[in-house]
Amino acid sequence: MATTGSRSTLVLVYLTVAVLVSPALSAPLDGAGFHSATCPQLESIVFSSVQAALQREVALAAGLLRIFFHDCFPQGCDASVYLKGRGTEQAMGPNTTLQPRALQLVEDIRAKVHAACGPTVSCADISALATRDAVVLSGGPNYTVPQGQFDSLAPASQNVVNGLPSPATSSVSALARAFSGKGLRDLADLVALSGAHTVGRTGCPFFRDRAQRMDDAFSRRLAANCSAAPNRLQNLDVVTPDLFDNGYYKALVNSQGVFTSDMVLIKDRTTAPIVQQFARNKDAFFAQFAKSMAKLATAPRPGGNVGEIRRNCFSPNALRAIDTVVEAGEEEGFTASA
């Protein structure tokens, strides 16, 4: 049975560790080379890890891209989407189908990086680098990744996460408003970032609205396929589904977009010329995609670049410290009711 004095000591240690183990940090962003002095192996560790993972499962490229977008769009690229548990972003509607293996891949890379360099690189930076490398290894463009992001101390709110654009969005103006609020004010940003759909697959519930309209041959085919096999996965790019190229835009020109939000890009007079340009010219798409990804990587964070470097991407450092102290207390004979 613990004494009152012992319990007081444990509470003091508990609170001290929670506050001091991970003080909030802040810093401006920098370009490539930010970690060159503290972790020169960083980029080679990330690249080799992503390369090995994609050789086992090509679908991880799309998983990483979707996670990166769902992380950066609500409150900037702060790895908040990686947090697990009650009230976290992963439990919120738009994120419940994020790819678990891609989330785990980033945590696995974090463990390798921290083993080599110590806790000098954030999960946010590793996620950004892993996403870039997945694009490159899938055939897409290389681009500079802004580095120096800190990991958030808490998830984004439900209201903010619900602001993620829906695949059922039926107007370019609605999509443009959502993107503009994140510093992506050029319609070319909207069209180029939608081009991430050049890799990946989705389930029937996500394009049910498009299939049910049956207003063209492709939507009727989608409806028939889902009626025959409701659990099937549909390629988002029906031209070259596993390559990062401009096949997605070629499909749109032929009215073969899977999501309603894809099809509005070719139907709206303000974005159709951009879609047609990217369908004709892969280099034009690659150049704009690289530019738009760099802009997305610096999407505004409401409180600025403030946070920590997590020792585990799935949990804030303070929470991990509390768990450690509680476990230590239980080993000494303390209990939650003592």
Side-chain angles (χ1 to χ4, degrees), residues 164-182:
L164 281 161
S166 165
T169 304
S170 59
S171 75
V172 165
S173 60
L175 291 169
R177 282 194 301 273
F179 274 67
S180 179
K182 308 302 174 183

Side-chain angles (χ1 to χ4, degrees), residues 4 27 61 76-77 91 112 114 134 151 168 205 215 223 241 276 282 295 299:
T4 301
C77 304
K112 292 179 184 178
H114 287 194
D151 300 322
D215 54 359
Q276 292 161 350
K282 183 176 73 172
K295 290 169 72 172

Side-chain angles (χ1 to χ4, degrees), residues 73-143:
F73 208 84
Q75 60 178 21
C77 304
D78 59 0
S80 58
V81 79
Y82 285 87
L83 294 171
K84 289 186 175 182
R86 175 186 286 181
T88 62
E89 293 172 46
Q90 289 187 37
M92 299 175 188
N95 295 326
T96 55
T97 56
L98 292 178
Q99 194 183 95
R101 299 175 303 286
L103 291 163
Q104 185 61 51
L105 174 59
V106 169
E107 165 55 17
D108 292 344
I109 296 172
R110 189 241 14 113
K112 292 179 184 178
V113 170
H114 287 194
C117 306
T120 59
V121 184
S122 67
C123 298
D125 278 358
I126 291 169
S127 177
L129 289 167
T131 302
R132 188 271 312 275
D133 291 346
V135 169
V136 171
L137 287 162
S138 299
N142 201 345
Y143 54 91

Side-chain angles (χ1 to χ4, degrees), residues 22 26 32 41 60 78 81 161 168 177 179 242 273 288 300 304 310 329:
S22 182
S26 64
Q41 314 98 305
L60 286 166
D78 59 0
V81 79
V161 172
R177 282 194 301 273
F179 274 67
D242 292 326
Q288 183 61 53
R310 287 189 210 133

Side-chain angles (χ1 to χ4, degrees), residues 52-78:
L54 291 184
Q55 287 172 349
R56 295 190 300 270
E57 184 181 4
V58 69
L60 286 166
L64 288 168
L65 273 161
R66 186 165 182 247
I67 289 165
F68 185 71
F69 185 83
H70 281 229
D71 181 43
C72 297
F73 208 84
Q75 60 178 21
C77 304
D78 59 0

